[in-house]
Amino acid sequence: MTLILSSFVLSNYELPKVAYAQSVEFREYIDTFDGYSFMYPRNWIQVRGAGADIFFRDPLVLDENLSVEISSPSSSKYKSVKDLGPPEEAGKGVLKQYLTEFMSTRLGVRRESSVLSTSSRVADDGKLYYDVEVNIKSYANNNELAVMPQDRVARLEWDRRYLSVLGVENNCLYELRIQTPEKVFVQEESDIRAIMNSFRANKIAA
């Protein structure tokens, strides 16, 4: 059954059981107003007011979510994702943006980060997309006000993988973002990659 709600369409889609040991039911989100679409797990819930154009999260793993960001057409005129440079250069930009967003003023907080992979592909819509994966770990001292160094022990707060799909259409840069704990990624990698591969930047009808 397809639900048509003003500017977007939600429809159900089940991945073939041949491809996955456990069948995961997906729902398709189509935003005809802003021009993009993707699949997401049916049980994920939409969170409004999160700052992104759209935001969904896993109700069971609260640290796992996805969102879509769109550049302003008035401030940039993208013709192709190649405007970002090669995938490796785009990956550095993605990581820099994440680190800027997660910048902390707390004492004793330290972040470790790395670009895990970058690649390009042409999807079935004929458009070029970049895939970027980065890892960020956050450490914090258990007693940041301690005078002696031995009393300030750094502990791992979180270890996450961030996956981005970058595409261009309508003179805008579209970015699908997925955040997931590294331990969860190992278990759900095939499903997460299915979401990434489903993302499309679509032409907005005049």
Side-chain angles (χ1 to χ4, degrees):
M1 182 177 186
T2 304
L3 305 177
I4 304 179
L5 306 177
S6 63
S7 64
F8 61 87
V9 179
L10 295 176
S11 61
N12 295 333
Y13 176 80
E14 188 170 337
L15 295 178
K17 295 184 179 180
V18 175
Y20 295 87
Q22 293 183 341
S23 179
V24 176
E25 188 173 3
F26 281 69
R27 177 172 287 183
E28 186 176 25
Y29 183 92
I30 305 175
D31 188 327
T32 57
F33 182 79
D34 289 312
Y36 63 87
S37 61
F38 59 87
M39 296 189 309
Y40 68 96
R42 181 181 174 84
N43 67 316
W44 285 28
I45 59 176
Q46 183 176 349
V47 178
R48 301 185 185 279
D53 196 73
I54 190 69
F55 188 98
F56 287 93
R57 68 173 177 83
D58 188 328
L60 302 178
V61 183
L62 301 184
D63 215 18
E64 187 173 38
N65 58 64
L66 69 81
S67 61
V68 173
E69 303 279 353
I70 309 173
S71 68
S72 171
S74 61
S75 61
S76 60
K77 297 293 182 181
Y78 289 94
K79 298 301 181 183
S80 167
V81 73
K82 290 182 179 180
D83 292 345
L84 299 174
E88 297 79 11
E89 195 65 27
K92 294 176 182 177
V94 168
L95 178 57
K96 182 179 179 180
Q97 181 62 35
Y98 277 125
L99 291 176
T100 300
E101 294 174 8
F102 297 137
M103 190 177 296
S104 176
T105 57
R106 290 161 48 208
L107 294 175
V109 173
R110 175 173 57 87
R111 300 278 159 75
E112 290 184 358
S113 62
S114 62
V115 177
L116 300 178
S117 69
T118 59
S119 61
S120 63
R121 58 184 169 84
V122 176
D124 56 10
D125 59 356
K127 297 187 183 75
L128 180 67
Y129 293 87
Y130 285 175
D131 294 334
V132 176
E133 298 183 35
V134 305
N135 171 266
I136 303 177
K137 297 179 176 67
S138 179
Y139 296 87
N141 293 333
N142 61 347
N143 187 5
E144 64 272 11
L145 299 179
V147 176
M148 303 302 291
Q150 61 268 26
D151 295 328
R152 298 192 299 269
V153 180
R155 60 179 176 81
L156 180 65
E157 288 188 304
W158 45 261
D159 180 8
R160 299 172 184 156
R161 182 168 300 210
Y162 295 89
L163 307 98
S164 290
V165 180
L166 304 166
V168 168
E169 186 57 272
N170 308 304
N171 295 325
C172 296
L173 175 65
Y174 291 78
E175 181 180 6
L176 172 72
R177 294 174 152 204
I178 302 175
Q179 169 187 298
T180 184
E182 280 289 350
K183 291 182 179 179
V184 176
F185 176 78
V186 173
Q187 302 170 357
E188 301 181 356
E189 180 177 357
S190 58
D191 298 333
I192 291 173
R193 298 204 183 282
I195 297 172
M196 295 177 68
N197 291 332
S198 73
F199 184 64
R200 299 289 182 272
N202 305 317
K203 188 71 174 178
I204 299 175

